[in-house]
Amino acid sequence: MAQYVTKGFVATRQGFGEGVLEAARRNKRILGIGADITGSVGMDLFAAEYPERFISLGIAEQNCVGAVAGLALSGKIPVFATYGVFSALRTTDFIRISICYNNLHALIGGAHAGISVGPDGATHQALEDIAVMRALPNMTVVSPCDATQTRIATIACLNRFSGPVYLRFGRAPVPDFTSENQHFEIGKAQILSRGSDATIIATGHMVWEALEAANTLNQDGLKIRVINMHTIKPLDHDAVLKAAMETGAIVTAEEHQVTGGLGSAVAEFITQNHPVPMEFVGMKDRFGESGEPEKLMEKYGLSASNIAMHVKKVLKRKY
Amino acid sequence: MDIESLERVSKIIRTDIVKSLAKAGSGHLGGSLGMADIFTVLYFHALQHHPEDPEWEDRDRLILSIGHISPVLYATLAHAGYFPVEELLTLRKLGSRLQGHPGREHGLPGIELSAGSLGQGLSVAVGMALAGKMDEKKWNVFCINGDGELQEGSIWEAAMSASHHKLDNLISIVDRNGVQIDGKTEDVMGLEPLIEKWRSFGWHAISCDGHNMEDLIYAIEEARYVEGKPIVILATTKMGKGVSSIEDDHHWHGKAPTESEAIKFIKEIEEYYQD
Ligand SMILES: [Mg+2]
């Protein structure tokens, strides 16, 4: 059982902002597009250092995405970030045609993902963005687990990748626990804890909750594998297949609707290759509401204890 | 190219639009015919481009936001030398590089953007124009918009941003044929006063006759000299222009001619150019 220690609580949007700045220092083709909430998504760092490479387009997300396509077609690497409900959902057709059908290297940042957005309530909590973004041909979907990883993932998306990519991150400070020197590869899952009784495949902040759930279960003598599925598309088939074959039961955990998200992606794969019993932790076809992040996570079943409960449930169905 | 030569080219383009659509069995005839003169002036007079080097870095960019009139773009590109004219007869067929709406992944030379979902092209053009400004490039971005398309809200987001960023390297040409699928634009969703709308959004607006070569040449020349503002050319056109029996008939927005209709239409095109 691997032990993870938090270095403190840091919002993943901060990691995103730092990542954009760091990537931009190494590549002057990188540009930022602003849709009015620059500071709130962490892009203020970039805008302050490179005002001539930061383009403000106002509260007009569709136009932002179209302009991103035009910039990418002209040799730039544009970064457009706003709340995921807007960057991914309001603009979906623009992303589908202008970015994905044209297959352009552009980074769409989905900030304020999940219910942990908190007090702003349902309108601003992106809970369907993974489902929609991963359905788009050519699109890559990345959802890192903490601030350090978000910074590293952002740099990877900009400087070691080519193509349309949606990067999802959150608002609330969450445990920052991954290493500065971690090996991060888009499309390659991280096994954070070894185990053979069942596997928890989690994404985003839910990875930390999964580790806590695994710790609790360990006290009952259960050895739980925890996979950080930081890339939802392309899904790491190898890691999922091994989990199904070697542990025989899977629980997925995500701050997203269970419809169409990480759990669906995993299920689509294993049902065709090595079916095992599964449980899905996520939003159950509901809108969120206002409240403090932790209380909301508790209320909607997105906590470590709920994940642990689902592991016990899936184990009862394990052949 | 002189006016007479341009007229000759536009006649061939109109004829090939009819032929390619008849062969395809579906597609948008009316709008394609209506834009034949504008495309002729653009590709045979106004645009800086090299058909033998479609990716030439300093070329003017042409974005077809209304992807459904691809037949006029394809016929023009073919006759300009981008690809063999015979390929026009593969329009809309399985495996063709001539998709119903332009798709870059199919590899047709001269296609700047995969497009066809209305209201997106002007935003893409804004992005290109921003990049051109940033890199101090001399090229311009031409964006072909439809008048019905102007009902999309995103067009006005793009319009606002283009003047905010003083994109005088962006020229939108609006196909002001006054019709859309359901009928007259002013009945479906009124656009007038249209020129005032553009001006109030900070654009330099020019109106012109979209079937008068001289008028078009002059309008584009004026557009190139404007500084500090994006430019829109509201080109009055007739849907189906050149085929007298379908001119201005919105039923021909999204229809292709049958083989026998095509023969008749080509005859009408001959007559149109004799006058
Ligand atoms: Mg029209």
Side-chain angles (χ1 to χ4, degrees):
Chain A
M1 181 81 226
Q3 292 299 316
Y4 283 86
V5 186
T6 76
K7 298 170 271 175
F9 280 66
V10 186
T12 48
R13 56 180 164 162
Q14 189 178 321
F16 173 73
E18 290 167 3
V20 171
L21 179 58
E22 212 175 310
R25 281 177 180 155
R26 289 183 229 163
N27 188 341
K28 52 180 200 289
R29 291 163 60 210
I30 294 171
L31 306 179
I33 306 295
D36 197 42
I37 44 175
T38 305
S40 178
V41 300
M43 290 274 288
D44 47 340
L45 296 174
F46 171 85
E49 188 161 323
Y50 294 109
E52 73 288 353
R53 282 158 63 186
F54 179 78
I55 304 166
S56 170
L57 291 178
I59 310 171
E61 294 82 6
Q62 301 181 92
N63 186 48
C64 289
V65 172
V68 159
L71 288 162
L73 281 162
S74 312
K76 306 295 183 190
I77 303 172
V79 181
F80 168 54
T82 179
Y83 301 156
V85 285
F86 309 133
S87 68
L89 300 177
R90 187 187 189 96
T91 61
T92 303
D93 184 41
F94 278 66
I95 294 181
R96 176 174 183 263
I97 299 299
S98 288
I99 306 285
C100 290
Y101 189 33
N102 283 283
N103 201 10
L104 302 172
H105 184 199
L107 173 55
I108 308 291
H112 284 44
I115 197 161
S116 59
V117 166
D120 274 349
T123 55
H124 284 56
Q125 296 162 345
L127 292 167
E128 301 80 18
D129 51 329
I130 294 175
V132 173
M133 289 298 104
R134 83 177 181 91
L136 298 174
N138 295 337
M139 182 61 103
T140 290
V141 180
V142 178
S143 163
C145 66
D146 69 359
T148 297
Q149 185 161 88
T150 306
R151 183 174 59 75
I152 293 168
T154 305
I155 296 166
C157 288
L158 289 169
N159 290 353
R160 290 193 280 121
F161 178 82
S162 183
V165 54
Y166 178 69
L167 181 75
R168 185 181 207 248
F169 50 93
R171 185 195 79 93
V174 291
D176 189 33
F177 63 96
T178 62
S179 157
E180 287 292 332
N181 308 312
Q182 66 184 281
H183 175 75
F184 182 89
E185 202 183 322
I186 293 170
K188 194 97 189 65
Q190 294 175 333
I191 316 293
L192 297 186
S193 143
R194 305 194 179 283
S196 52
D197 291 323
T199 302
I200 306 169
I201 303 178
T203 196
H205 164 55
M206 293 299 279
V207 172
W208 177 257
E209 301 292 325
L211 286 169
E212 293 212 313
N215 274 338
T216 315
L217 292 162
N218 193 39
Q219 287 159 18
D220 299 338
L222 291 168
K223 302 271 179 284
I224 306 301
R225 183 175 304 187
V226 176
I227 296 180
N228 170 17
M229 197 60 80
H230 54 68
T231 307
I232 291 159
K233 185 188 175 186
L235 192 70
D236 186 341
H237 288 165
D238 237 37
V240 176
L241 186 62
K242 277 203 185 105
M245 286 172 34
E246 294 169 9
T247 74
I250 294 175
V251 173
T252 57
E254 59 199 307
E255 244 193 281
H256 184 272
Q257 303 290 356
V258 293
T259 312
L262 168 69
S264 301
V266 170
E268 285 158 16
F269 175 72
I270 68 158
T271 47
Q272 296 179 78
N273 293 282
H274 191 90
V276 296
M278 271 188 79
E279 288 289 328
F280 302 83
V281 174
M283 287 295 281
K284 301 276 162 68
D285 199 20
R286 298 187 63 175
F287 285 106
E289 62 181 301
S290 294
E292 288 314 308
E294 248 178 72
K295 292 206 168 123
L296 288 168
M297 300 287 281
E298 198 60 50
K299 172 168 178 179
Y300 289 93
L302 300 169
S303 59
S305 60
N306 194 52
I307 297 173
M309 189 192 86
H310 278 81
V311 171
K312 287 190 171 158
K313 205 170 151 200
V314 84
L315 282 173
K316 285 188 192 141
R317 292 195 287 126
K318 187 172 163 179
Y319 328 123
Chain B
M1 203 177 256
D2 60 32
I3 303 291
E4 232 171 85
S5 310
L6 289 172
E7 294 283 357
R8 266 200 304 278
V9 172
S10 73
K11 178 183 171 183
I12 297 168
I13 288 172
R14 284 200 162 86
T15 309
D16 275 348
I17 289 170
V18 172
K19 283 184 186 165
S20 64
L21 278 164
K23 180 85 184 184
S26 69
H28 298 77
L29 180 62
S32 300
L33 287 171
M35 288 298 280
D37 301 311
I38 289 168
F39 273 78
T40 302
V41 167
L42 283 169
Y43 280 90
F44 289 83
H45 178 84
L47 291 182
Q48 298 291 316
H49 67 130
H50 296 316
E52 70 287 355
D53 182 13
E55 314 268 305
W56 175 46
E57 219 191 296
D58 293 324
R59 71 192 183 281
D60 286 327
R61 272 71 170 163
L62 183 129
I63 298 290
L64 181 63
S65 187
I66 40 173
H68 62 272
I69 63 161
S70 62
V72 66
L73 175 63
Y74 297 152
T76 311
L77 288 175
H79 285 287
Y82 280 88
F83 58 87
V85 172
E86 307 83 70
E87 203 172 338
L88 291 175
L89 295 178
T90 67
L91 175 66
R92 287 178 166 248
K93 302 289 187 207
L94 187 63
S96 172
R97 299 197 292 178
L98 281 66
Q99 294 289 298
H101 296 79
R104 286 166 74 239
E105 69 174 44
H106 297 274
L108 192 70
I111 301 298
E112 297 280 2
L113 180 73
S114 310
S117 174
L118 297 180
Q120 298 195 18
L122 193 59
S123 296
V124 178
V126 164
M128 286 182 164
L130 282 165
K133 284 272 167 201
M134 208 170 265
D135 296 344
E136 294 174 359
K137 297 290 186 190
K138 294 266 192 300
W139 44 262
N140 288 298
V141 187
F142 288 81
C143 183
I144 308 296
N145 294 106
D147 53 1
E149 184 189 25
L150 304 183
Q151 292 157 359
E152 293 280 7
S154 57
I155 290 285
W156 302 100
E157 294 182 6
M160 204 186 295
S161 68
S163 63
H164 179 88
H165 289 284
K166 303 185 171 56
L167 301 179
D168 52 17
N169 54 347
L170 170 61
I171 301 166
S172 160
I173 300 180
V174 173
D175 177 10
R176 183 66 173 122
N177 59 15
V179 286
Q180 56 191 112
I181 298 181
D182 271 1
K184 294 194 172 89
T185 56
E186 298 316 290
D187 295 336
V188 178
M189 180 50 63
L191 297 166
E192 295 296 343
L194 190 54
I195 200 157
E196 284 85 344
K197 277 195 176 71
W198 286 101
R199 284 181 180 146
S200 71
F201 271 74
W203 285 55
H204 181 92
I206 306 168
S207 19
C208 81
D209 177 347
H211 300 305
N212 182 318
M213 301 287 188
E214 255 171 293
D215 216 20
L216 284 166
I217 289 168
Y218 183 80
I220 294 169
E221 222 146 89
E222 179 182 336
R224 284 199 189 264
Y225 283 104
V226 172
E227 278 184 25
K229 283 177 170 192
I231 304 93
V232 62
I233 299 173
L234 297 177
T236 307
T237 65
K238 273 191 180 176
M239 186 173 272
K241 181 73 175 180
V243 177
S244 53
S245 61
I246 68 163
E247 253 179 39
D248 250 349
D249 181 354
H250 69 88
H251 294 105
W252 280 94
H253 169 94
K255 239 167 63 166
T258 62
E259 287 293 336
S260 61
E261 280 169 334
I263 293 165
K264 177 170 166 264
F265 290 178
I266 290 167
K267 237 181 247 162
E268 290 177 40
I269 291 170
E270 299 279 346
E271 287 159 14
Y272 168 69
Y273 280 92
Q274 272 159 20
D275 297 341

